Amino acid sequence: MKNKIIVTGGCGYIGSHTVVELINNNYDVVILDDLSNSSVETLGRIEKITGVKPVFIDIDLKNDTETKKVFSKHKDAKAVINFAAHKAVGESVQKPLMYYKNNLYSLINMLSSMVENNINGVIFSSSATVYGTPETLPITEKSKTQRPFSPYGNTKKIAEEVIDDLIKSNDNFSAISLRYFNPIGAHESGLIGELPSGVPNNLMPYITQTAVGLREKLMVYGNDYPTKDGTPIRDYIHVVDLAKAHVLAVERIINKQQEQPYEIFNLGTGNGFSVLDVINSFEEVTNSKLNYEITDRRPGDVPELYAATDLVKEKLGWEPKKSLNEMIKSSWDWEQKLRNNKE
Ligand code: WQD
């Protein structure tokens, strides 16, 4: 009998890659998604990759009644991975109430339905943004969290606190919060990858859309930061490495291997790369010149972020395998396939 996992936002970028790894590890997956930032086509692509089409329920988790119904129907699930959230930093600054409502209402409805149906384990998709501007590097899980610059980031910080308070009130409930650094890349099949709606906020999709001719040029937001080349440094991590960490977190929760009911892990490689490093790597990998221009800083950007990875290696036995060049090559392959299929 396979263990069933509910994956909210499972048609999205990180969600779909995680669903592939769950199926590859013999889990039954039920995807809950409102398709507000993803496509139902992803289900067929997951099936092409794994041979299995996951159960899919089109649901808005802000709808309390619907959420209760779905969780009651799937009360045999062993755990839930919660990806469902809006995640565009810039948009969240323009529309804070939409972000607080969407990301927190859906979380609270989901958690209530889990408790009601005795599904007592959640893996939460969090972000390094909860650390704000770090005082020391590398960032460990004990590093101080600060109020993130964006409402998007703040919904992640508040969500972690909501889960913490739930656990303090309920001895049966447990959670693992995974704080992602900068996920990039795509599955080797080129069938699933990052699909930003509208103009990409994030660096990698903007680079690949520029290279494929969708965007005129990449704006590099500032080269006057206190870093080796003046551009900000980030800890880029391959989305497939990230997905594999979620399977290990599910196993830890299901097999009751947690050392405390609420565990937090950074998911990064421990290596920092600047924006110019990424551009140079892209040009090397694709043997092309990228059209870019240095412009002003983007409000809210921090100079340098990279993870300490000792805890997740020790407790989850997880280690990222993919290099920056492999991440970039997979992003580029995905972008090219995406555009060729569209033409
Ligand atoms: C990376 C670097 C930019 C675009 C955010 C969220 C985080 C996570 C990932 C949400 C920065 C520079 C970018 C561009 C640029 N989750 N850049 N030109 O800001 O580190 O993290 O996304 O998806 O929670 O905070 O990622 O890819 O936006 O930026 O110069 O057109 O690239 O200044 O230094 P970020 P990013």
Side-chain angles (χ1 to χ4, degrees):
M1 186 65 181
K2 290 184 181 179
N3 284 327
K4 180 189 282 185
I5 305 295
I6 293 172
V7 180
T8 75
C11 286
Y13 173 41
I14 301 169
S16 57
H17 285 84
T18 301
V19 167
V20 164
E21 297 306 324
L22 286 167
I23 293 172
N24 289 347
N25 282 273
N26 210 28
Y27 286 96
D28 266 345
V29 174
V30 175
I31 292 179
L32 311 183
D33 204 308
D34 66 0
L35 302 177
S36 59
N37 190 24
S38 56
S39 156
V40 72
E41 268 177 49
T42 304
L43 298 170
R45 293 163 178 257
I46 291 172
E47 185 178 16
K48 267 208 193 115
I49 295 169
T50 64
V52 174
K53 188 166 187 176
V55 172
F56 167 64
I57 298 162
D58 183 346
I59 178 171
D60 178 350
L61 292 167
K62 295 194 292 301
N63 182 321
D64 190 8
T65 319
E66 287 305 307
T67 303
K68 285 184 189 307
K69 256 195 272 180
V70 165
F71 275 81
S72 166
K73 183 168 179 234
H74 292 286
K75 64 174 62 191
D76 57 329
K78 296 293 178 211
V80 176
I81 307 181
N82 186 54
F83 293 106
H86 291 332
K87 51 158 258 181
V89 171
E91 183 185 48
S92 78
V93 175
Q94 307 306 323
K95 301 176 184 170
L97 295 184
M98 180 181 102
Y99 269 68
Y100 285 113
K101 183 170 183 179
N102 184 71
N103 293 5
L104 295 175
Y105 263 37
S106 48
L107 175 86
I108 292 164
N109 278 343
M110 182 201 76
L111 292 173
S112 311
S113 298
M114 285 177 69
V115 171
E116 259 170 52
N117 290 284
N118 213 20
I119 305 170
N120 290 314
V122 68
I123 284 103
F124 178 65
S125 164
S126 190
S127 164
T129 197
V130 303
Y131 294 111
T133 304
E135 282 156 16
T136 56
L137 288 166
I139 299 176
T140 76
E141 288 79 357
K142 296 210 178 320
S143 297
K144 209 157 62 73
T145 57
Q146 303 170 59
R147 186 193 159 103
F149 162 76
S150 71
Y152 152 77
N154 208 28
T155 67
K156 292 297 182 183
K157 185 166 180 299
I158 296 169
E160 287 191 343
E161 291 161 2
V162 167
I163 293 167
D164 192 26
D165 286 342
L166 168 61
I167 285 175
K168 285 178 181 141
S169 74
N170 178 333
D171 292 343
N172 300 321
F173 204 84
S174 72
I176 292 178
S177 183
L178 298 175
R179 290 174 176 169
Y180 311 155
F181 279 67
N182 285 63
I184 63 171
H187 189 267
E188 60 190 7
S189 63
L191 289 169
I192 54 176
E194 198 165 0
L195 201 57
S197 44
V199 179
N201 287 292
N202 294 136
L203 177 66
M204 199 65 240
Y206 208 106
I207 287 178
T208 56
Q209 288 191 12
T210 301
V212 82
L214 260 181
R215 308 285 162 204
E216 197 245 328
K217 68 177 147 185
L218 169 76
M219 298 302 200
V220 174
Y221 298 136
N223 67 346
D224 58 349
Y225 286 91
T227 62
K228 61 177 182 175
D229 60 22
T231 61
I233 288 173
R234 294 290 182 273
D235 185 335
Y236 298 96
I237 175 166
H238 197 292
V239 66
V240 173
D241 278 331
L242 200 74
K244 291 179 190 291
H246 288 73
V247 178
L248 292 168
V250 162
E251 283 162 5
R252 186 173 176 85
I253 278 206
I254 289 182
N255 301 329
K256 303 201 181 310
Q257 292 163 327
Q258 287 182 274
E259 289 162 21
Q260 49 269 335
Y262 191 16
E263 292 181 317
I264 290 173
F265 297 109
N266 286 342
L267 290 186
T269 65
N271 305 311
F273 290 103
S274 72
V275 175
L276 289 178
D277 285 334
V278 175
I279 292 170
N280 296 336
S281 175
F282 182 81
E283 292 183 336
E284 180 197 330
V285 163
T286 59
N287 192 21
S288 68
K289 287 307 282 170
L290 184 75
N291 186 17
Y292 69 92
E293 179 190 326
I294 309 283
T295 59
D296 297 335
R297 292 185 174 192
R298 177 172 69 174
D301 275 341
V302 300
E304 198 164 0
L305 279 182
Y306 58 91
T309 57
D310 323 68
L311 192 66
V312 70
K313 281 180 189 165
E314 185 202 334
K315 304 296 181 190
L316 285 194
W318 173 81
E319 268 199 86
K321 303 267 186 276
K322 307 258 184 186
S323 67
L324 181 66
N325 279 9
E326 286 172 300
M327 298 178 210
I328 289 172
K329 173 87 174 57
S330 65
S331 289
W332 180 230
D333 290 350
W334 157 249
E335 184 71 65
Q336 289 178 292
K337 274 205 174 171
L338 201 56
R339 301 309 153 196
N340 295 340
N341 292 346
K342 286 231 160 102
E343 271 139 28

